[in-house]
Amino acid sequence: MNTGASGDWQPAATLEVLKLRARLLERTRAFFQARDVLEVETPILSAATSPEPHIESFHTIYVGPGFGRGKKLYLQPSPEFAMKRLLAAGSGPIYQIGKVFRNNEAGRLHNPEFTMLEWYRPGFDHHALMGEVEELVTTLLGDRARRTKTEKLSYAEAFEQHAGIDPHAAREEDFAACAKKFLVRAPDTMTPHHLDDWRDLILTHVVEPQLGKDRLTFIYDYPATQASFARIRPGSPPLASRFELYLSGMELANGFHELTDSDEQELRLRHQSLERKHHETGSVPIDERLLAALAAGLPDCSGVALGFDRLVIQAADAHSIDGVIAFPIDRA
Amino acid sequence: MATYSTNEFKSGLKVMLDNDPAVIVENEFVKPGKGQAFNRVKIRNLKTGRTIERTFKSGDTIEAADVMDVEMQYLYSDGEFWHFMNPESYEQLAADKAVVGDNAKWLKEQDVCQLTLFNGVPIAVEPPNTVTLKIVETDPGLKGDTSGGGGKPATLETGAVVRVPLFVQIGETIKVNTRTGEYLSRA
C-alpha cells in the first residue's frame, strides 16, 4: 500500500486495466441483455441491513425533510434484500452491477468498497445457476477459465480431497489435528463452540489454495450452519443449497437456491441478529420490508453474487485488488 | 500493557509472541465471503531470528513489545561483554555473546551499530552495512598477478576472514559488506 502523500492522487490501476474493466462491464451487460435479464438499481443507503455474523455494515446519519433528528442508514453490504423485494413484486429475472460496502475488510483481495455483480433466476435451482455462472465467466475470461473442464465438488468432497477430513462429522480435535498436519498454527482464540470457525480456518489455509487451478471449481452443498439465506435440505447431515466459485484459489462468487419460506427466513434473521448481540459489533435492525415481501411470496429462484473486481484481477492477471481499482481505500 | 488488534498489524510492528519480542514481517488478510476473517502473519522472533507463520482470528489482540532500535557506538570488548555508548546521552550498555553472536567479527571500535533493545536490554546488534577494516594476515600471492580473478582468504583486524583479490596485501584497509561478508574495494 502506498502511504506517501505525493503520488497518492494517481490511480492505483493502470489505464490499460481500467479499459479492460470497462470492456468486461460492457460484455457482462450484453450477456444479460441477450438473455432477457433486466438490469436494476437498488438503494445503497437503506434503513436495514444484513445481520449475517461475519458482515459489518457501514452506517451514516441522514438528516433532512422528515428526519430532522437524523435517521441511521446503512450502506448496503449486498443488494440481496432489495433485489428479493423486486422478485417478490414480480420483476422476473434481474441483475445488478453496483457498489457494496463492508467494514473491517481490507487486504490483498479485499477493499471495503467494491463492485458486486448480483443476479437472480426464477425457476433455477443452484445447479442450473452454476451452469449460467460458468457460461458468464468463460465468456468474460475465455481460456483463463477453461483450460480444463470445470470441476464440481461438494463441500465434503473438497475437504476430503484436499485436507483429508470430513467437514460435517469432524469435531474440534479433528480440525486441530488437521491444521497441525498442514503446518497451520490455529489461533489461540478458537473454541469448540464455533466449528464453523474451524471449517473456515481449514478452508482458507488448506483447501482454497488447491481450488480452481487452471479451471473453474464450484463447491456446493454447504453445512446447514453456513446456509445464510439458502434453503436447507433435510438429511444426515442436512445440507444448504449454496455454492461458491473458485479460480486460482480465489473465491469469485457465492450463490444460493434461495430460501422462500418467510417464517424460516424470519427465524434465521432473528437468530443472526441475536448472535450479533454477543459480538462487539452489535445488533442491526431486522429488515421488516424484506420479511413482508417474502410473506407476499418470493418466487422459487436462485441467486448469485460475484465479486466483479476479482473477475478483473483474473482477466488482468493482477496481483491484488488494488491493481484493478482506480482509487482503493488508501487513495480514496 | 499496550496491545495491538489485528487491524493494526503491518510489517515492522513489534509484538510479543510466546513471551519473546517479535516483529511482523508480512500480514495477509484472508476471509471467506460469508465466513470468519483471519490474519495470516509471518513473524520473526527477535531473539532467535527465526521467522514463523501464525494465524490470528481478525479482531484478536496481541501484546505490544517494548522494542526499539537505537544507534550506539561500539566502545570495546572485555572478552565477556561488548560495550556500546549512546553518542548523545553517553549512556552505556553491554551485550553478551548470545546477543552479539557472529556479528562480533565485524565490530570495530568507534563504529556506530544499531542495537535492538527489549525493555531496555540489548537483544540484537547490527554492525554497519559496510565496514572498513585492516588486513592482518593473507598470503602474499603471486607477484605480478593483478587480475583479481582467483582471490584468497584474508584475516581482518577484527578476526573476520573474507575472500579478497590476489593484489590486496597485509596492512591495507578494505571495505567489506557485513550482510554478505564480501569484499567491496580497497578503502
Side-chain angles (χ1 to χ4, degrees), chain A residues 23-298:
Chain A
R23 281 200 302 279
L24 291 169
L25 281 170
E26 269 169 39
R27 287 164 63 193
T28 302
R29 291 197 158 96
F31 178 90
F32 287 111
Q33 194 179 17
R35 288 160 184 248
D36 273 332
V37 181
L38 179 72
E39 179 165 12
V40 297
E41 291 181 283
T42 56
I44 282 172
L45 287 174
S46 193
T49 188
S50 174
E52 284 183 89
H54 296 296
I55 294 194
E56 300 306 324
S57 298
F58 286 88
H59 55 80
T60 186
I61 304 293
Y62 166 57
V63 181
F67 296 98
R69 286 162 184 247
K71 178 175 172 55
K72 193 172 187 179
L73 293 176
Y74 294 88
L75 276 69
Q76 290 307 288
S78 145
E80 181 169 1
F81 291 0
M83 289 180 84
K84 284 179 175 168
R85 284 163 61 190
L86 287 175
L87 288 158
S91 66
I94 49 174
Y95 81 98
Q96 174 160 213
I97 301 172
K99 283 292 181 73
V100 293
F101 303 83
R102 293 185 184 182
N103 212 342
N104 224 344
E105 296 188 9
R108 192 171 69 83
L109 297 176
H110 295 83
N111 194 60
E113 167 183 346
F114 61 102
T115 299
M116 189 84 104
L117 162 63
E118 182 146 336
W119 77 97
Y120 290 85
R121 281 295 208 164
F124 281 35
D125 68 6
H126 60 306
H127 287 281
L129 189 55
M130 275 185 251
E132 190 166 58
V133 172
E134 181 185 3
E135 284 178 62
L136 173 73
V137 173
T138 50
T139 299
L140 297 180
L141 296 182
D143 286 344
R144 277 168 201 285
R146 55 174 173 224
R147 275 178 209 131
T148 350
K149 195 174 170 294
T150 295
E151 176 184 43
K152 275 175 96 169
L153 297 173
S154 70
Y155 187 86
E157 285 167 347
F159 273 70
E160 274 150 22
Q161 236 177 68
H162 298 300
I165 192 168
D166 176 347
H168 300 294
R171 298 149 60 92
E172 184 190 34
E173 53 268 31
D174 305 319
F175 285 116
C178 176
K180 205 167 179 180
K181 186 173 135 198
F182 287 93
L183 306 178
V184 172
R185 170 75 189 251
D188 300 333
T189 48
M190 301 292 276
T191 69
H193 312 297
H194 293 95
L195 285 182
D196 280 324
D197 288 356
W198 282 101
R199 293 184 183 110
D200 285 340
L201 181 77
I202 300 300
L203 177 75
T204 51
H205 287 62
V206 181
V207 179
E208 278 188 352
Q210 306 303 323
L211 302 178
K213 285 188 169 169
D214 284 333
R215 62 177 162 193
L216 299 177
T217 299
F218 284 98
I219 305 294
Y220 62 94
D221 286 355
Y222 277 66
T225 47
Q226 297 182 24
S228 185
F229 305 118
R231 56 181 70 187
I232 294 172
R233 306 194 309 278
S236 183
L239 295 169
S241 296
R242 174 184 160 194
F243 68 90
E244 296 244 359
L245 169 62
Y246 286 88
L247 179 57
S248 308
M250 187 188 294
E251 178 190 342
L252 283 183
N254 173 74
F256 305 141
H257 191 183
E258 302 290 347
L259 180 66
T260 48
D261 179 329
S262 64
D263 293 337
E264 165 77 16
Q265 180 79 34
E266 179 164 2
L267 267 177
R268 287 197 204 171
L269 286 170
R270 299 216 182 275
H271 177 72
Q272 289 175 348
S273 198
L274 209 66
E275 284 275 288
R276 289 188 80 86
K277 283 190 183 162
H278 303 305
H279 289 85
E280 54 200 275
T281 48
S283 57
V284 295
I286 300 275
D287 192 338
E288 301 292 347
R289 292 186 179 111
L290 170 70
L291 292 177
L294 294 171
L298 181 70

